Amino acid sequence: MTVPTLASSRLRLKARAASAGTGKTTAIVGDVLRSLEDTSLRRIAVVTFTQAGAADLRLRLEAGLKTLLETGEYFGYGIYSTQKPKLEAALLELGGATVTTIHGFFRKLLKLCAPDLGLDPDFENTDELESEALFRDAATQALSEVVFSETGAGKRLVAELGWDGALEALLALRSSRAYSPLSATGPLETDL
């Protein structure tokens, strides 16, 4: 039994960093096109920082594939006619290919690993405004339950701060903890 090594499986990680207008996108497209000789497009991830960059990469990759299919060459990289079926398949796969931002890439990885992490793989990604609206609704529901419950776990806090004050305190706590684990550090946070 042979164990694949990095060299034998031809796994590669390439990164390009340079100032604007130096040919990064052209070089990346060329790298992807050359990789299609032995790897299908669905097994390649092209990751950039911005959505505009990802959209540009996707368009340029499509143009590069079409150029290779029509002319047999892309910026000095030539193909044999026997390679055309792989390129045609890549062109068909392009719509579902992983050409995305770093955030989109990690979101895709999280979805793929969600069952192993005990998460619903159909989770939805929300933007900041939608996330705040959902939190505000949940906080309002929680405050209602506190006010109308017989065991007044948070009744003192709502009585002290008032409805709007308690809601604003919850929103402030959420925004201060948005990027770190939620843990109580004081009596107000414990009550909230």
Side-chain angles (χ1 to χ4, degrees):
M1 181 171 146
T2 1
V3 178
T5 64
L6 188 60
S8 68
S9 63
R10 296 183 51 110
L11 294 175
R12 296 174 301 280
L13 174 63
K14 291 190 176 188
R16 302 263 183 202
S19 58
T22 57
K24 290 183 303 293
T25 303
T26 301
I28 291 169
V29 169
D31 288 343
V32 171
L33 294 175
R34 280 185 287 284
S35 296
L36 294 174
E37 288 178 20
D38 61 348
T39 307
S40 67
L41 186 57
R42 68 179 172 274
R43 299 186 57 84
I44 298 172
V46 184
V47 181
T48 187
F49 286 101
T50 66
Q51 289 179 348
D56 184 44
L57 272 165
R58 186 176 297 277
L59 288 173
R60 300 269 297 275
L61 189 53
E62 180 181 14
L65 281 165
K66 287 179 177 177
T67 299
L68 263 179
L69 285 167
E70 291 169 10
T71 68
E73 186 180 347
Y74 178 83
F75 285 93
Y77 170 63
I79 61 162
Y80 297 105
S81 60
T82 56
Q83 293 171 286
K84 283 191 175 187
K86 287 183 179 181
L87 297 174
E88 290 166 346
L91 193 55
L92 292 173
E93 293 174 354
L94 186 59
T98 303
V99 181
T100 185
T101 64
I102 194 162
H103 293 93
F105 179 67
F106 281 108
R107 186 172 33 258
K108 185 170 187 155
L109 285 179
L110 186 57
K111 281 188 178 275
L112 289 172
C113 298
D116 294 333
L117 299 170
L119 300 173
D120 178 3
D122 293 325
F123 71 85
E124 291 293 323
N125 187 46
T126 58
D127 65 19
E128 197 172 324
L129 291 173
E130 186 178 1
S131 175
E132 184 173 335
L134 289 170
F135 184 84
R136 188 177 287 273
D137 289 347
T140 300
Q141 179 66 32
L143 287 175
S144 295
E145 290 174 13
V146 164
V147 168
F148 294 109
S149 71
E150 291 188 24
T151 65
K155 281 188 175 203
R156 178 192 60 79
L157 184 64
V158 175
E160 218 174 272
L161 297 175
W163 181 275
D164 290 339
L167 185 58
E168 289 307 312
L170 280 169
L171 291 169
L173 177 62
R174 175 186 177 267
S175 69
S176 71
R177 301 296 179 165
Y179 300 107
S180 64
L182 186 60
S183 61
T185 58
L188 177 64
E189 292 180 5
T190 302
D191 286 350
L192 288 172

